[in-house]
Amino acid sequence: MTYKVALNGSRVLITGGASGLGRQMALQSAAKGAHVVIWDMNLEQAKNVVTEIKKAGGTAEAHQVDVTDRLAVNKLALKVGAVDVLFNNAGVVSGDWFLDLNPDSIERTYRVNVLSLYWMTQAFLPAMVQSGRGCVVTISSASGMLGVAKLTDYAASKFAAFGFMESLRSELRMKRSNVNTLTVCPHYIGTGMFDGVQTKFPWLLPILDEVKVAAKILRSVEKGKAMLVMPKFVHVIPVVRVLPIRAFDRITDFFGVNRTMDNFRGRK
């Protein structure tokens, strides 16, 4: 089986493609020769990205949609048609202590970060399976491998995204499908979404550059990879988990993991 998907000549759809990492993936996908479909709540910003792409000689289109609305997703999916690569990129974060979390914010986090994965993938995966090619990409997080203070809703939603993709990959493999899945687990990215976060050892766990992250994601799609973890140091998490839980806690405290959100501001 080959899981590689060439972006040149493909149709790609990016949720949350109007800003941040989504915008970078849109611009870089178009530069590689893909037709880019941007789904975002902010139609004006999405159209601005389309303009950028067209000025550079690419092709793109923008649509306003709430990816947590299953009926709206299905309706627009029929209009857009089949895509070769689906980037489940839309995400939100609250960044509060558990006891300070607003119930509405918790529900919003799960609707955007988890339930939208189901609605989007159910809408576009069948055509990929029928054609025998394609890739479903989901942006999880290093927080989907390690719970962090002040991220109880976000980390849990990213754990769910990780589990969703692992199960989906298993199902496709059991059905001997050539459709690939790519789970992306990055450390904090400097997109504005996590403004104010700090890292104790930036040479080991840097705030990632969105341009470089987008480029690595697209290369992983083209190479047919199933997992992308950034930076490489994050790979130690599953290894360290074999230790007793208190020893594991001491290691995460040493690296300042649970202090990263102390000065969190987020995107304003």
Side-chain angles (χ1 to χ4, degrees), residues 193-234:
M193 183 176 178
F194 281 98
D195 271 358
V197 298
Q198 296 175 327
T199 177
K200 184 177 179 180
F201 298 108
W203 54 281
L204 278 179
L205 292 167
I207 305 300
L208 301 173
D209 179 79
E210 63 183 34
V211 176
K212 294 179 180 178
V213 171
K216 288 184 178 180
I217 292 171
L218 299 189
R219 284 199 299 270
S220 296
V221 170
E222 293 183 313
K223 291 179 179 179
K225 290 187 175 183
M227 179 75 70
L228 176 61
V229 176
M230 295 173 283
K232 291 183 178 180
F233 186 72
V234 175

Side-chain angles (χ1 to χ4, degrees), residues 58-152:
T59 63
E61 59 191 83
H63 301 272
Q64 184 178 44
V65 64
D66 179 356
V67 293
T68 70
D69 185 333
R70 179 175 57 86
L71 296 180
V73 166
N74 289 337
K75 182 178 180 180
L76 186 54
L78 290 174
K79 177 181 178 181
V80 167
V83 299
D84 300 294
V85 184
L86 169 63
F87 291 95
N88 287 315
N89 170 71
V92 295
V93 62
S94 301
D96 289 324
W97 294 105
F98 171 70
L99 292 178
D100 295 328
L101 281 173
N102 184 302
D104 291 338
S105 296
I106 296 172
E107 290 186 3
R108 177 171 175 260
T109 296
Y110 276 84
R111 287 197 304 269
V112 176
N113 295 2
V114 182
L115 290 180
S116 73
L117 305 181
Y118 289 82
W119 314 150
M120 294 298 301
T121 307
Q122 283 187 335
F124 290 99
L125 180 60
M128 294 184 192
V129 172
Q130 186 174 13
S131 68
R133 70 183 296 272
C135 183
V136 177
V137 183
T138 291
I139 310 301
S140 180
S141 170
S143 297
M145 304 168 69
L146 170 69
V148 178
K150 297 185 75 174
L151 288 177
T152 54

Side-chain angles (χ1 to χ4, degrees), residues 10-32:
S10 292
R11 286 170 52 84
V12 308
L13 190 153
I14 305 170
T15 63
S19 61
L21 179 63
R23 171 180 170 272
Q24 279 300 323
M25 291 193 296
L27 296 174
Q28 294 185 36
S29 293
K32 285 178 174 284

